[in-house]
């Protein structure tokens, strides 16, 4: 069974540009999460989808970030316009059940560098 | 304001000895705790977890201990092996109810010396 996949693995863009990250969860997992790790800091929760609905987006930094999950399968996270402080590794995770004890499986991450 | 703290950025242990990684939390609403292991250029992988109603959970070489009164948990790895060299993240959930986003610590880089 395929794990969580993310694309691209790396992205280098200039300040002010737009970038779209994609996450494909494990097949059948209704719960999808986005996280971000800025260098030297902890991995921080951004938002949680249940199918196509945003369950919790309390961790989204500001309105330059837009997450979608149309059809309840893959998800995209768009940053527009990108700022220098958006640099970091963006992780996606998925879980089968909507309980906090269900294991979240992480993808390899997308490393975003904003110059 | 960090709710999950891992105060040791790195830890070096000799192969075959015990590795002890520590984690403290501040939010008493957390009721589920996890350890994830991360290799470079990979995502975190789930290692072991513990519910707040227990004080110990064991899985092979890995044991997690929870001290609720001290808001402290630790991960014991024995015996330590070279493949255990990785960054270990402590995480917690349950403060918001339902399927939460996890709250992570900054991680501890474990280095197993031959």
């Amino acid at each position: 069974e395929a794990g969580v996949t993310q694309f691209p693995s790396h992205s280098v863009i200039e300040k002010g540009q737009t970038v779209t990250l994609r996450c494909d969860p494990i097949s059948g997992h209704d719960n999808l999460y986005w996280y971000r790790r800025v260098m030297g800091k902890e991995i921080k929760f951004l938002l949680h989808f249940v199918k196509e609905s945003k369950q919790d987006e309390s961790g989204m930094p500001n309105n330059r970030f837009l997450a979608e999950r149309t059809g309840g399968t893959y998800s995209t996270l768009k940053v527009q316009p990108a700022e220098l402080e958006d640099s970091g590794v963006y992780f996606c995770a998925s879980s089968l059940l909507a309980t906090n004890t269900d294991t979240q499986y992480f993808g390899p991450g997308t490393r975003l560098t904003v110059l | 304001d960090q709710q999950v703290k891992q105060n040791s950025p790195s830890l070096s242990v000799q192969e075959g000895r015990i590795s002890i990684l520590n984690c403290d939390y501040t939010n008493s609403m957390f009721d589920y705790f996890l350890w994830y292991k991360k290799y470079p250029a990979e995502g975190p992988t789930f290692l072991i977890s513990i519910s707040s109603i227990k004080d110990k959970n064991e899985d092979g070489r890995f044991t997690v201990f929870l001290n609720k009164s001290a808001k402290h948990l630790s991960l014991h790895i024995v015996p330590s092996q070279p493949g255990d060299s990785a960054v270990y993240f402590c995480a917690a959930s349950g403060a918001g109810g339902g399927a939460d986003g996890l709250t992570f610590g900054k991680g501890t880089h474990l280095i197993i010396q031959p």
Side-chain angles (χ1 to χ4, degrees):
Chain A
E1 181 184 310
V4 177
T5 57
Q6 294 186 243
F7 182 82
S9 56
H10 292 87
S11 181
V12 181
I13 62 172
E14 294 194 350
K15 177 182 169 180
Q17 290 186 319
T18 297
V19 64
T20 300
L21 314 181
R22 173 172 169 145
C23 168
D24 287 77
I26 293 171
S27 177
H29 280 195
D30 287 340
N31 295 276
L32 186 150
Y33 307 81
W34 283 99
Y35 292 86
R36 175 174 75 172
R37 188 184 189 201
V38 173
M39 188 183 298
K41 304 243 176 174
E42 69 272 25
I43 300 170
K44 278 201 150 180
F45 166 75
L46 298 179
L47 88 159
H48 169 208
F49 282 101
V50 178
K51 297 185 180 179
E52 67 275 8
S53 299
K54 291 175 186 173
Q55 182 76 12
D56 178 0
E57 52 184 327
S58 60
M60 293 289 264
N62 51 61
N63 59 10
R64 295 185 293 103
F65 289 75
L66 175 64
E68 294 181 320
R69 194 183 181 195
T70 308
T73 53
Y74 71 90
S75 175
T76 57
L77 179 64
K78 182 193 284 189
V79 185
Q80 179 183 31
E83 298 288 344
L84 299 179
E85 65 264 24
D86 301 332
S87 295
V89 182
Y90 290 77
F91 293 105
C92 175
S94 71
S95 68
L96 180 63
L97 301 175
T99 66
N100 74 311
T101 57
D102 197 40
T103 300
Q104 293 185 24
Y105 297 90
F106 281 75
T110 293
R111 181 174 294 278
L112 174 64
T113 303
V114 183
L115 303 175
Chain B
D1 181 32
Q2 272 201 281
Q3 298 186 67
V4 176
K5 298 178 185 178
Q6 294 176 257
N7 293 319
S8 299
S10 66
L11 175 68
S12 184
V13 174
Q14 206 164 16
E15 182 179 356
R17 306 293 286 263
I18 184 171
S19 296
I20 300 176
L21 294 92
N22 293 302
C23 177
D24 298 291
Y25 62 96
T26 58
N27 190 335
S28 57
M29 297 296 290
F30 289 138
D31 63 4
Y32 196 67
F33 303 90
L34 311 92
W35 287 93
Y36 278 80
K37 176 179 178 179
K38 185 184 176 309
Y39 292 118
E42 294 184 9
T45 54
F46 171 74
L47 191 58
I48 192 169
S49 62
I50 187 167
S51 164
S52 61
I53 62 173
K54 294 187 173 182
D55 55 18
K56 177 182 174 181
N57 188 26
E58 195 170 348
D59 183 2
R61 296 186 297 112
F62 303 91
T63 303
V64 56
F65 295 91
L66 175 63
N67 182 333
K68 275 187 67 177
S69 59
K71 294 193 178 69
H72 177 84
L73 62 154
S74 61
L75 174 68
H76 293 212
I77 306 172
V78 56
S80 299
Q81 298 175 353
D84 297 330
S85 294
V87 177
Y88 289 77
F89 290 96
C90 173
S93 71
D100 297 351
L102 299 173
T103 302
F104 283 89
K106 288 187 178 181
T108 296
H109 185 193
L110 177 65
I111 302 160
I112 305 301
Q113 306 273 13

